[in-house]
Every structure is written in C-alpha cells, then in structure tokens.
Amino acid sequence: MRARDVNKVAKGQQAPRPVHETGTVSKPPPPSSTDHQFETEERAKANAIADEIRHCYARFRHYHRCLEEKGKDSECEKIKKDYKSSCPSEWIEKWHEENVVRSR
C-alpha cells in the first residue's frame, strides 16, 4: 500500500485492501494462445530450408558460370565438389534438367 493510502486507512477514510488468498492465481492461458510459438518455429524451419536451397542453387550457378568462362579443365572442379557435397542430389538433378532445357 502506498503511504497516503495507509494514512487514509488510519483515519478511517478508506477501507483496507483485502488480503490475497492463497490459491487464487489466475488460470493459465488456453492452449490456442500458444499456437503462435509453433507457427513461429515452423516458419523458422521453412526459412532455414529456403536459405539452404538458395545457397545451394547459388553454388550450382557459380559452377556453371565458371564452366562457361574458363572451360572444363579449370579450377571449376573445386566449386563442383563444394556444391555436390553440400546440396542433395535430387536438387542438383532437377536444376541440371532445368539448365539443359533452358540452354536448348
């Protein structure tokens, strides 16, 4: 209680606040209010996957640009090892097919 409230109570001008009863804590929020946390986690996972795809594709394109500029017998093999080791083969196959179709 603030000091001025204590003074009013002492003078009989204001009733004292009721004492807090044990066990009267408010109920926890319903489960639906915690759904936001799960949505955020799902969004974070999706963003991480999208970032991985973006980085892999950038390495794949870097390798093909290197081949176009320097030819097959160059330092492009190092770039090829890099993207092949970090990207799933399904993605590489799909991008390769798209690249072949685009170059026709």
Side-chain angles (χ1 to χ4, degrees):
M1 246 188 268
R2 295 186 307 212
R4 68 179 186 185
D5 292 339
V6 174
N7 289 337
K8 286 183 179 181
V9 169
K11 294 177 186 175
Q13 296 173 350
Q14 179 181 354
R17 294 184 185 162
V19 178
H20 180 73
E21 297 176 21
T22 57
T24 58
V25 178
S26 61
K27 295 179 183 177
S32 62
S33 67
T34 59
D35 289 345
H36 173 70
Q37 177 184 3
F38 297 118
E39 289 175 5
T40 305
E41 290 173 6
E42 288 174 5
R43 218 175 283 135
K45 287 177 188 176
N47 287 342
I49 292 169
D51 286 345
E52 182 182 359
I53 293 170
R54 191 176 314 111
H55 291 299
C56 282
Y57 187 71
R59 290 184 194 116
F60 176 81
R61 290 299 308 146
H62 182 64
Y63 167 69
H64 284 280
R65 267 190 248 112
C66 180
L67 284 179
E68 290 171 4
E69 293 172 5
K70 300 177 183 174
K72 239 182 177 155
D73 298 329
S74 65
E75 70 261 7
C76 299
E77 289 303 311
K78 182 178 178 184
I79 299 169
K80 182 178 180 178
K81 284 182 184 178
D82 181 40
Y83 89 80
K84 285 217 174 205
S85 67
S86 61
C87 302
S89 59
E90 299 86 28
W91 295 354
I92 295 170
E93 290 170 8
K94 180 183 176 202
W95 296 333
H96 184 69
E97 290 171 7
E98 290 173 359
N99 208 20
V100 168
V101 169
R102 232 185 276 139
S103 64
R104 288 184 188 173

